[in-house]
Amino acid sequence: TKEDAAIEASAPEAPYILRVNVFTFNRVDGLKRLLKSLVNSYYPGVVPSTAQLPMTIYFDMPKKESLKEVDSTREFLDSFHWPYGPLVIHRRERNVGLRTNIMESWYPVGNGGKLEDLKEYAAFFEDDIEVSPYWFIWSDKGIRTYSSAFVGVTEANSKLLGLSLYRCVKDEQSGKMVNFPDNEPFLLQQPSSWGAVYFPTHWKNFRVWFQSLGPNSNIRVFDLNDPSIEPSSNTWPSATSWKKYLIFLMYHQGWYMVYPNLPDRTVLSTSHLMKGVHPTPQRDLFELPIFPPEGLVPPEELERVDSNDPLANSPTLAQILKIGRAH
């Protein structure tokens, strides 16, 4: 209608694009929980008509001929509505696995190939993840505080891969537990696969590097200071794991991610560790509670309730590095 066209024409331009990428197969109960948590989250300032939060759901197929094991997933997706922007359901013709779905989901392209100024980011969620209602608030503040497109290229953010929503429990390279006693963000040379927002420059570099490897490449990380240390990622199957390749590249390039460090071990996304292709980790150690633990606080109250603001007075990357908050 003319009224709809007038409203769309008057809508403000999106400050940036955050692609919400969801990966699913036959775990429909987990998918329902994830999408419900995403729909019920706070998105202050987001205008759906600006397409700031487009969602793409990558729906894989079974290896066998029968499609019965994905019927319930298909039926649910046929009726799903994403109220905050465009929705695309990418239904595979055949089984390609999680690694291919993730690696093909996003290839950032800047204006003239320059990615430092590109205001486009991507959030990745597997179907056993659940997010906090504040996941976007953390992501929005992190993008505006740390991204080169907003603050320019600095020595610190030139190594920044993105923002984790999950608070890392264990360093997969050293095998040590990650422990910072206060509640401020920290840096870690480890990618997050249980909810994360990735920045364009380094993700594209990862894609290009990954594609340069042969199809049967089996890379391994070794601690240059102690070759006897065998990171757990070296044991992951090369044919199905994308994360082990990113761990390798982060280690050799000196990249890191910003991790939240909220009270009471709460997180902005958690994994419910549903049975899948890879071994299930120890539940009581890795399945962390969603932030906040004591009920919701409306976004307009966050500025007055610092303890409920994931990035209240957030330090710059240079400040985090200066005080040694890099693991």
Side-chain angles (χ1 to χ4, degrees):
T1 67
K2 290 184 178 180
E3 285 131 357
D4 292 335
I7 292 173
E8 186 172 346
S10 63
E13 183 180 351
Y16 57 85
I17 301 298
L18 176 55
R19 300 188 177 279
V20 181
N21 292 340
V22 173
F23 305 93
T24 191
F25 173 36
N26 62 352
R27 301 186 296 195
V28 67
D29 290 339
L31 178 64
K32 289 179 179 179
R33 177 176 51 209
L34 167 62
L35 293 180
K36 180 180 179 180
S37 69
L38 286 168
V39 168
N40 291 336
S41 293
Y42 291 126
Y43 299 99
V46 171
V47 178
S49 61
T50 64
Q52 182 179 349
L53 284 176
M55 175 182 283
T56 303
I57 300 176
Y58 294 86
F59 179 18
D60 209 358
M61 291 291 108
K63 294 181 179 179
K64 299 178 181 179
E65 293 294 328
S66 173
L67 298 179
K68 288 184 178 180
E69 61 180 306
V70 294
D71 278 350
S72 55
T73 302
R74 176 185 53 76
E75 291 170 2
F76 170 68
L77 289 178
D78 283 347
S79 61
F80 174 69
H81 171 62
W82 174 241
Y84 302 104
L87 171 66
V88 174
I89 298 177
H90 186 134
R91 179 174 172 172
R92 291 287 187 176
E93 293 293 325
R94 58 182 178 82
N95 178 271
V96 297
L98 179 62
R99 189 183 82 171
T100 297
N101 275 303
I102 287 181
M103 294 305 297
E104 292 184 356
S105 67
W106 187 42
Y107 190 81
V109 178
N111 185 13
K114 188 176 182 181
L115 294 177
E116 292 82 359
D117 299 328
L118 180 63
K119 293 183 177 180
E120 179 182 317
Y121 312 87
F124 291 174
F125 301 108
E126 297 179 31
D127 59 11
D128 61 348
I129 302 298
E130 181 180 5
V131 300
S132 158
Y134 302 102
W135 81 271
F136 175 76
I137 293 175
W138 157 270
S139 303
D140 179 67
K141 287 191 175 183
I143 287 170
R144 295 173 186 272
T145 303
Y146 304 133
S147 166
S148 61
F150 282 89
V151 299
V153 178
T154 67
E155 182 178 358
N157 71 18
S158 66
K159 298 289 187 180
L160 179 61
L161 175 64
L163 312 167
S164 177
L165 303 175
Y166 180 79
R167 189 245 188 263
C168 185
V169 173
K170 188 177 182 180
D171 184 339
E172 290 166 341
Q173 291 188 54
S174 67
K176 297 178 181 178
M177 304 303 289
V178 177
N179 181 35
F180 288 108
D182 54 28
N183 297 127
E184 292 188 355
F186 62 89
L187 306 179
L188 185 64
Q189 275 190 277
Q190 184 167 298
S192 175
S193 58
W194 289 349
V197 172
Y198 286 97
F199 288 7
T201 301
H202 295 82
W203 185 262
K204 183 175 182 179
N205 289 340
F206 171 49
R207 282 286 312 270
V208 171
W209 172 80
F210 180 80
Q211 289 172 334
S212 72
L213 302 174
N216 300 315
S217 297
N218 183 20
I219 49 90
R220 301 172 70 84
V221 176
F222 292 101
D223 190 322
L224 299 179
N225 298 315
D226 187 355
S228 66
I229 294 178
E230 181 81 356
S232 60
S233 60
N234 285 348
T235 66
W236 300 346
S238 298
T240 59
S241 175
W242 63 273
K243 188 177 177 182
K244 71 177 296 177
Y245 291 90
L246 190 48
I247 287 175
F248 180 94
L249 194 59
M250 289 181 73
Y251 179 74
H252 286 279
Q253 296 295 325
W255 297 351
Y256 46 76
M257 296 189 75
V258 177
Y259 278 78
N261 193 27
L262 303 173
D264 303 319
R265 299 177 73 241
T266 55
V267 288
L268 295 153
S269 69
T270 195
S271 173
H272 289 288
L273 306 175
M274 300 177 72
K275 184 178 179 181
V277 175
H278 299 125
T280 303
Q282 185 179 336
R283 187 174 299 277
D284 61 348
L285 183 61
F286 291 96
E287 188 177 20
L288 301 182
I290 288 291
F291 172 91
E294 299 178 355
L296 301 183
V297 177
E300 59 270 18
E301 296 292 325
L302 286 175
E303 295 302 324
R304 296 194 291 273
V305 187
D306 285 349
S307 63
N308 283 303
D309 187 346
L311 268 177
N313 303 317
S314 55
T316 65
L317 289 178
Q319 288 170 331
I320 296 176
L321 287 169
K322 185 177 181 180
I323 59 179
R325 298 188 59 81
H327 199 272

